Amino acid sequence: MAAKSEELNYTVIAAFNDQKTDTVIKPGELYSADQKRANKLKAEGVIAEDDEGQALPKQTKAAASDKTKADDDTAGGASDADDTAKS
């Protein structure tokens, strides 16, 4: 069961000024909010009433370095590959 303070991402349907960051959040952007804040934004018509929110994975440093390593391993193909044209 998710904790009440867990933040989820919600799709914005109407522009609004975020109180925390004092920036304008535009329609189509994802906005992170806890359940209490999300309910308030739903009531104000900023996010859709039926938007349940989505927990998007947060990328960690380990995940970023694993991705980079995997990309490096496959980027140029096998180092012992024979690039000679076959006739």
Side-chain angles (χ1 to χ4, degrees), residues 8 56 64-65 81:
L8 299 174
L56 297 180
S65 65

Side-chain angles (χ1 to χ4, degrees), residues 41-84:
L41 294 173
K42 286 179 184 181
E44 294 174 2
V46 174
I47 58 178
E49 287 283 335
D50 60 350
D51 190 342
E52 297 295 323
Q54 11 175 338
L56 297 180
K58 295 180 181 177
Q59 189 170 2
T60 62
K61 290 181 181 179
S65 65
D66 290 346
K67 183 179 185 320
T68 303
K69 184 178 179 198
D71 290 345
D72 290 346
D73 290 345
T74 59
S79 60
D80 61 345
D82 182 6
D83 292 327
T84 328

Side-chain angles (χ1 to χ4, degrees), residues 1 7 9 13-14 20 22 24 28 34 41 43-45 49 65 70 73 75-76 78-81 83 85-86:
M1 183 173 193
E7 289 196 355
N9 288 319
I13 60 172
K20 291 180 184 177
D22 197 33
V24 175
D34 61 22
L41 294 173
E44 294 174 2
E49 287 283 335
S65 65
D73 290 345
S79 60
D80 61 345
D83 292 327
K86 306 289 187 235

Side-chain angles (χ1 to χ4, degrees), residues 13-55:
I13 60 172
F16 73 100
N17 189 32
D18 181 23
Q19 296 172 347
K20 291 180 184 177
T21 62
D22 197 33
T23 58
V24 175
I25 309 299
K26 299 175 185 171
E29 291 183 9
L30 290 178
Y31 181 76
S32 295
D34 61 22
Q35 189 64 45
K36 183 178 177 182
R37 178 78 172 134
N39 288 338
K40 184 176 179 182
L41 294 173
K42 286 179 184 181
E44 294 174 2
V46 174
I47 58 178
E49 287 283 335
D50 60 350
D51 190 342
E52 297 295 323
Q54 11 175 338

